[in-house]
Amino acid sequence: MKTTKLFAAVLVSAFVLPAFAQSTPNLDKREDRQQGRIVQGIESGQLTAKEAQHLEAREAKLASDEAMAKADGKVTRKERNKLQREADRNSAAIHHQKHDKQTR
């Protein structure tokens, strides 16, 4: 009986903990919101096609960097902070491009 419970605990920790360790739910929500801001800017005419393309490239780089951070199965505090700073810069770029004089 004890070995069955121990085996179950080891099995759960082998699959659940690595998935939890590489999770970045706050960053994922933030990426979704920023993507929505870009789409809204395109629809409203606040972003030109070239601006939108540039912002999409920045978001793609952030997603790539996030995938690289998750590749080893653990997102360290340093990696998480780097990703958050990159998301901060992307957010500022979206705001700047949406509020400049250029329109579609």
Side-chain angles (χ1 to χ4, degrees):
M1 182 76 153
K2 282 186 176 182
T3 57
T4 306
K5 288 183 181 179
L6 179 64
F7 179 72
V10 170
L11 188 63
V12 167
S13 66
F15 290 105
V16 173
L17 292 179
F20 181 73
Q22 67 179 352
S23 173
T24 53
N26 292 337
L27 187 61
D28 295 337
K29 289 178 192 174
R30 191 169 185 185
E31 287 176 310
D32 289 341
R33 284 192 309 269
Q34 288 180 350
Q35 187 64 38
R37 290 171 57 204
I38 293 170
V39 169
Q40 186 276 330
I42 293 168
E43 290 173 352
S44 70
Q46 290 176 305
L47 292 174
T48 65
K50 191 170 187 174
E51 288 172 337
Q53 184 180 16
H54 177 69
L55 294 171
E56 292 287 352
R58 290 179 74 123
E59 288 296 315
K61 183 182 180 314
L62 176 60
S64 173
D65 291 346
E66 181 182 7
M68 286 177 52
K70 290 180 178 181
D72 63 355
K74 177 159 176 55
V75 180
T76 64
R77 179 176 288 143
K78 185 176 180 179
E79 290 170 329
R80 197 175 302 276
N81 289 339
K82 178 187 174 291
L83 292 169
Q84 287 296 335
R85 281 192 308 272
E86 188 174 350
D88 289 342
R89 288 190 300 272
N90 288 355
S91 180
I94 292 168
H95 175 81
H96 175 74
Q97 293 299 330
K98 283 180 72 174
H99 294 91
D100 63 4
K101 301 257 186 231
Q102 297 172 343
T103 57
R104 179 172 46 113

